[in-house]
Amino acid sequence: MAILIDETTKVIVQGITGKQGNFHSKSMIDYGTKIVAGVTPGKGGQETLGIPVFDSMKEAVNDTQALASVIFIPSKFTYSAAMEAIEAGVQLLTIITEGVPVKDTARIRQKAIDNNVILVGPNCPGLITPEASKIGIIPGEICSKGNVGIVSRSGTLTYEIIQNLSINGLGQSSCVGLGGDPIKGIGFNECLMMFEQDPQTKYIVMVGEIGGTGEQEAANLVKKEITKPVFGFIAGQTAPPGKQMGHAGAIVHGKSGTAKEKMRILAEAGIATAETPGQIPSLIANNL
Amino acid sequence: MLYEIEGKQLFKDSKIPVPRFKAYTDSDTIKAFAEELNSNVMMAKGQALSGGRGKAGLIKKVTTDEAEDYIQSILGQNHKGKPIDLVMLEEPLEIEKEYYLAVMLDNTSGQYLILASSRGGVDIEDIAENYPDEIFRETLPIFTEPFPYQFMELGKKLGFVARTLTQFTSLMTNMVNMAIKNDLTLIEINPLILTPDKKIIAADSKVVIDGNAYYRQPKIASLKSQRDRHTDLEYEADEAGISYVQLDGEIGIIAGGAGLSMATCDLLEFFGSSPANFLDVGGGAGDIKIEKSLEILSNQDIKGIFINFFAGITRCDDVARGVINATKKFNIAVPVVIRLVGTNDKRGIQILDENGIKAYGEMVPAAKKIVELVKGGN
């Protein structure tokens, strides 16, 4: 089962002829993702990587009936590309692009909510269901199929954790990178609920960081609704207040957004938190 | 964040009433401004990007005769790590009542959020703690086109009537439009002042712009504040597209990805040392960026360098080449430990090996090693 995507999910790549879009489309195809179309305005009728290219999302969706799309488009043009995807009827929209203006993201988010579209990102690595499909840029070779669901605000840190789990024989059901921006699509709670309902997932790992209140909201949900064991890690324990740590959303304002405070709140909700990413496999093993 | 004077200029451009003001350049400015005001009393306000200016004595009501001496006394004064190098002169206001007003792009709801209180002039945190019932909140949809009538109810809650009520609703409309038009994530007016002759005026400004929108807000992006919010090294990094934050620990860090970079900082502390910086080269960084990162660290007072990559988009051979080039160009006199896995890692490790540098495959032993080298060197 897994969540959000499987081997049957048909995917359209917006920006398929761009450098990043093309490179990662190839990597997705190699992994087994069913990419059925690409969109680049002005290049309709061409082909790349054996995939037909369309001028617009409307044409691509009409022709392929795909309901998922992924955006590899420069931040200046992401707003329009996302609006186009939602209006064309896509149901799962993933935005990899970094540096999208916050106002644009807030508008995309609202449009997605109004149209019942699941939005992942922006500024995220995407998602993967090992041995089935991936949308985005998570390296497939570090993943293995299993029963740990991962949801994370980070990219490379997630790879670190996935690899640690795989090496220790703990495969994954699905991994979702939510993205590092202050306003974004789905958050921890949506993913926790999906993992709770997914029969393949037995354990859930959530990787948070400083800034925002997503981890606190997740802790509340875990107390009330999540029956599966949840494990956590929070990055940014050494981050000073008021400074943005790479991700636009990773900034401590006052006391509530600190790593220490978040770890305390997670622990209070019965979530075992690791002090280093390397400790997560043993935390899970202790629970087996 | 913008300087108060920059924020006030934006207010003026957005038709939000502000006191008359002028940037100080030399003693002639004082004379000219006194003539403009037709008064020999004015406010002199040291400009800074962190709060607490009043308490630090950086704001004072002065006469034309006192102004120059006072301004000279605050210029160069250290305020929270930065010297004051900008002073504004402003028309003094008579105050009947002070209010608090803010418009922000709210991270939780993804909508515009308005906060307002008739207890202005103190920190919003203090109002929230002592008078939580006297902060009014209103949410405006993200696709909003604001009209004055939408703020009538809020204006009445704050106690505005008749002429002040229409002044308020039009100020609110202009404030929301200013946020939308300029890609601002926060506009705070504290205090908003009601004068005895029933005028509403913004006496202070706190304005924050979304850095992702710089490309379409070139005027704001080029303001002095946007340069000054960084330390020199942070600015140099920013120009090169590197996310870098100066910290005060002993080990310099170069990592790929914000989360991994933060976790790397944390791991050093876990093993008993401390990070001298946060540094994320960003996805897909080539050898030039790695070289630049090492150049930045070579200008920082550190005892060791830890390079940590789990490469996805980035390629390990680029990382290795950048490191080798940098060691040839810059004086790196401290121990360096490298951890390298991911795309093209075999090639990267080989390049390092050819130059006598051993790479680690895992983060924990590498972190332990650099801490050991740094501590052993004491």
Side-chain angles (χ1 to χ4, degrees), chain A residues 20 23-24 75-77 79 83 96 98-104 106-111 113-114 137 139 141-142 154-157 159-160 163-164 167 181-184 209-210 212-213 217 233-240 243-248 250 259 275-279, chain B residues 105-112 142-144 179-183 185 210 212-213 215-217 229-231 234 243-247 256-263 265-267 269-271 275 277-278 280 282-284 308-313 339 341-343 361-364:
Chain A
Q20 294 287 359
F23 178 82
H24 290 289
S75 57
K76 286 182 192 186
F77 311 112
Y79 179 49
M83 288 294 173
I96 306 299
E98 187 179 345
V100 180
V102 189
K103 185 177 73 189
D104 295 1
R107 290 179 167 182
I108 296 167
R109 175 186 170 276
Q110 189 59 49
K111 180 93 173 171
I113 291 171
D114 294 345
I137 62 174
E141 64 276 13
I142 57 170
S154 160
T156 48
L157 177 59
Y159 310 163
E160 185 81 44
Q163 193 190 42
N164 272 322
I167 290 172
D181 282 356
I183 294 179
K184 53 179 176 282
E209 62 188 31
I210 53 167
T213 53
E217 288 149 24
F233 176 76
I234 306 285
Q237 293 159 48
T238 48
K243 285 281 189 178
Q244 184 180 313
M245 305 298 269
H247 285 156
E275 280 185 278
T276 70
Q279 289 173 350
Chain B
L105 192 43
D106 179 43
N107 290 341
T108 308
S109 66
Q111 319 286 342
Y112 284 105
I142 189 70
F143 286 102
T144 198
I180 297 171
K181 194 177 137 220
N182 296 288
D183 280 294
T185 52
D210 168 19
N212 285 352
Y215 73 88
R216 62 189 183 198
Q217 303 294 346
R229 68 195 181 98
H230 298 294
T231 66
E234 284 170 5
S243 293
Y244 167 85
V245 178
Q246 214 163 325
L247 305 171
L260 186 61
S261 186
M262 275 189 267
C265 291
D266 297 346
L267 198 61
E269 189 153 285
F270 185 75
F271 288 128
N277 66 283
F278 163 97
D280 165 19
N308 186 10
F309 278 86
F310 199 122
I313 307 189
R339 180 276 183 126
V341 281
T343 313
E362 283 180 55
M363 180 157 138
V364 167

Side-chain angles (χ1 to χ4, degrees), chain A:
Chain A
M1 259 300 286
I3 68 166
L4 291 168
I5 52 167
D6 61 25
E7 57 279 351
T8 65
T9 309
K10 290 198 257 180
V11 180
I12 301 170
V13 178
Q14 295 178 258
I16 196 167
T17 56
K19 193 182 160 205
Q20 294 287 359
N22 207 254
F23 178 82
H24 290 289
S25 293
K26 182 170 187 308
S27 151
M28 284 188 270
I29 293 164
D30 291 346
Y31 195 71
T33 307
K34 213 166 162 187
I35 294 182
V36 293
V39 170
T40 301
K43 294 197 175 172
Q46 298 183 11
E47 237 186 41
T48 179
L49 308 167
I51 307 290
V53 180
F54 295 84
D55 287 317
S56 72
M57 278 301 289
K58 196 176 168 189
E59 291 166 317
V61 170
N62 281 345
D63 200 79
T64 63
Q65 307 301 312
L67 296 175
S69 95
V70 55
I71 292 183
F72 287 96
I73 283 179
S75 57
K76 286 182 192 186
F77 311 112
T78 298
Y79 179 49
S80 139
M83 288 294 173
E84 188 191 351
I86 295 169
E87 275 170 22
V90 155
Q91 289 175 359
L92 171 66
L93 174 63
T94 305
I95 305 176
I96 306 299
T97 311
E98 187 179 345
V100 180
V102 189
K103 185 177 73 189
D104 295 1
T105 302
R107 290 179 167 182
I108 296 167
R109 175 186 170 276
Q110 189 59 49
K111 180 93 173 171
I113 291 171
D114 294 345
N115 290 276
N116 286 317
V117 172
I118 296 177
L119 171 68
V120 182
N123 188 16
C124 80
L127 52 155
I128 188 164
T129 294
E131 291 178 25
S133 183
K134 75 163 179 169
I135 292 181
I137 62 174
I138 298 175
E141 64 276 13
I142 57 170
C143 302
S144 56
K145 191 176 173 176
N147 53 26
V148 182
I150 301 179
V151 54
S152 170
R153 280 173 67 188
S154 160
T156 48
L157 177 59
T158 314
Y159 310 163
E160 185 81 44
I161 288 165
I162 293 173
Q163 193 190 42
N164 272 322
L165 289 170
S166 291
I167 290 172
N168 288 284
L170 294 162
Q172 306 88 41
S173 51
S174 293
C175 312
V176 186
L178 304 172
D181 282 356
I183 294 179
K184 53 179 176 282
I186 56 167
F188 285 118
N189 284 15
E190 288 88 343
C191 290
L192 286 167
M193 284 311 292
M194 284 186 268
F195 281 131
E196 173 73 13
Q197 283 150 16
D198 168 41
Q200 188 186 331
T201 304
K202 292 212 160 56
Y203 307 96
I204 305 168
V205 173
M206 55 176 282
V207 184
E209 62 188 31
I210 53 167
T213 53
E215 292 81 357
Q216 289 87 323
E217 288 149 24
N220 281 334
L221 183 79
V222 168
K223 270 194 240 174
K224 288 183 208 142
E225 314 256 349
I226 307 295
T227 60
K228 295 176 181 176
V230 182
F231 306 87
F233 176 76
I234 306 285
Q237 293 159 48
T238 48
K243 285 281 189 178
Q244 184 180 313
M245 305 298 269
H247 285 156
I251 181 163
V252 173
H253 296 292
K255 192 182 138 212
S256 64
T258 65
K260 210 174 158 189
E261 177 65 6
K262 291 193 182 205
M263 284 168 78
R264 189 187 67 74
I265 290 169
L266 293 190
E268 214 179 73
I271 299 169
T273 56
E275 280 185 278
T276 70
Q279 289 173 350
I280 293 171
S282 57
L283 282 182
I284 298 179
N286 290 342
N287 206 283
L288 286 175

Side-chain angles (χ1 to χ4, degrees), chain B residues 278-299:
Chain B
F278 163 97
L279 193 156
D280 165 19
V281 294
D287 52 345
I288 307 287
K289 268 197 185 178
I290 306 291
E291 202 183 306
K292 185 72 195 173
S293 301
L294 275 158
E295 185 188 349
I296 289 163
L297 291 193
S298 72
N299 288 317

Side-chain angles (χ1 to χ4, degrees), chain B residues 347-364:
Chain B
R347 179 78 196 113
I349 290 164
Q350 191 192 338
I351 293 170
L352 291 174
D353 196 52
E354 284 162 7
N355 287 274
I357 300 171
K358 179 179 171 266
Y360 285 78
E362 283 180 55
M363 180 157 138
V364 167

Side-chain angles (χ1 to χ4, degrees), chain B residues 21 41 63 65 68 100-101 104 110 112 118-119 133 136 145 159 164-165 167 191 219 263 274 281 287 341 370:
Chain B
F21 64 90
V41 182
T63 63
D65 296 337
E68 181 67 22
Y100 173 94
L101 208 53
M104 66 189 77
Y112 284 105
S118 51
R119 292 191 179 267
D133 298 341
F136 305 110
E145 187 193 332
T164 59
L165 183 61
Q167 280 183 62
K219 231 175 101 184
S274 53
V281 294
D287 52 345
V341 281
I370 187 66

Side-chain angles (χ1 to χ4, degrees), chain B residues 179-288:
Chain B
I180 297 171
K181 194 177 137 220
N182 296 288
D183 280 294
L184 305 175
T185 52
L186 173 71
I187 307 173
E188 189 182 79
I189 303 177
N190 189 21
L192 177 78
I193 280 175
L194 176 67
T195 62
D197 59 348
K198 307 295 173 202
K199 284 196 176 114
I200 300 176
I201 300 175
D204 198 0
S205 84
K206 184 177 176 187
V207 174
V208 179
I209 184 179
D210 168 19
N212 285 352
Y214 272 172
Y215 73 88
R216 62 189 183 198
Q217 303 294 346
K219 231 175 101 184
I220 300 176
S222 63
L223 291 173
K224 178 173 157 58
S225 56
Q226 302 309 298
R227 163 66 187 85
D228 291 355
R229 68 195 181 98
H230 298 294
T231 66
D232 287 348
L233 286 179
E234 284 170 5
Y235 182 70
E236 200 181 322
D238 197 53
E239 289 284 283
I242 296 165
S243 293
Y244 167 85
V245 178
Q246 214 163 325
L247 305 171
D248 53 9
E250 54 187 8
I251 299 178
I253 283 169
I254 298 174
L260 186 61
S261 186
M262 275 189 267
T264 306
C265 291
D266 297 346
L267 198 61
L268 291 179
E269 189 153 285
F270 185 75
F271 288 128
S273 181
S274 53
N277 66 283
F278 163 97
L279 193 156
D280 165 19
V281 294
D287 52 345
I288 307 287

